[in-house]
Amino acid sequence: MKITLIGFMGSGKSTVGRELSELLGFPLLDLDRLIVEKTGKSIPEIFESLGEEGFRKIEASVLKENLLKGGSGIIATGGGAPAYGENIEVINRHSFSVFLKTPFEVIWERISRDENRPLVKLGREGVMELYRERLPYYEKAKLIVECEGKSPREIAREIVSKLSLNEGEGRASPEGQGWQT
Ligand code: S3P
């Protein structure tokens, strides 16, 4: 089984992904990290050399490649992934998608000084516009979790309870491959 975490930059996908990975014993695949490993470039370097369009092409192919791989896992996507091409359909076809819904003010507070996120250069208004544009894509997720006021561990537990899985079930799998559907 694959669980894909979607949501805006700074919504906690990587942090919640780590908690979920611990609770379920599934490996965590961080899409941005896989892109950096594959290209040997940082995210800002990819945006600079190939443009956002070039980044989206790599992102879509790395996403699909990992969704189609066998075994269980948690995929933490980049904030833009669900809003481009057919990515959200591919995510929903091959995994249980979870939207981490976090208020814009919380997000902006977390990301506004981050130099590793090229889109922050758009400024508060520009980023808010992006947030609004992307919401309809995020809302296609199979599960929407309201994250305000909850710790990453609480959010991860909520996802597990909605999945009706027992914590640690993945670890108990005989192949050590995680929980399979
Ligand atoms: C992006 C989000 C980033 C990263 C890239 C573009 C976006 O990931 O993929 O900077 O378009 O929202 P995070 O959501 O992990 O910050």
Side-chain angles (χ1 to χ4, degrees), residues 2 29 31 34-35 37-39 57-71 75 87 90-91 94:
K2 294 232 169 18
L29 306 168
L31 205 59
L34 292 171
I35 292 170
E37 278 167 17
K38 190 168 186 142
T39 59
K57 281 191 189 145
I58 302 170
E59 180 178 56
S61 93
V62 174
L63 173 67
K64 200 163 185 180
E65 186 188 318
N66 282 281
L67 279 167
L68 294 179
K69 263 187 200 160
I75 301 179
N87 290 347
V90 179
I91 289 170
H94 298 288

Side-chain angles (χ1 to χ4, degrees), residues 8-10 13 32 43 47 55-56 59 77-80 117-119 134:
F8 207 71
M9 289 177 267
K13 302 175 296 279
D32 280 345
I43 302 290
F47 268 70
F55 172 78
R56 296 301 168 198
E59 180 178 56
T77 58
R117 289 177 160 121
L119 294 174
R134 289 176 177 177

Side-chain angles (χ1 to χ4, degrees), residues 32-33 35-36 41-48 55 116 118:
D32 280 345
R33 192 171 301 164
I35 292 170
V36 169
K41 290 182 177 153
S42 70
I43 302 290
E45 280 166 357
I46 300 172
F47 268 70
E48 228 171 86
F55 172 78
N116 209 32

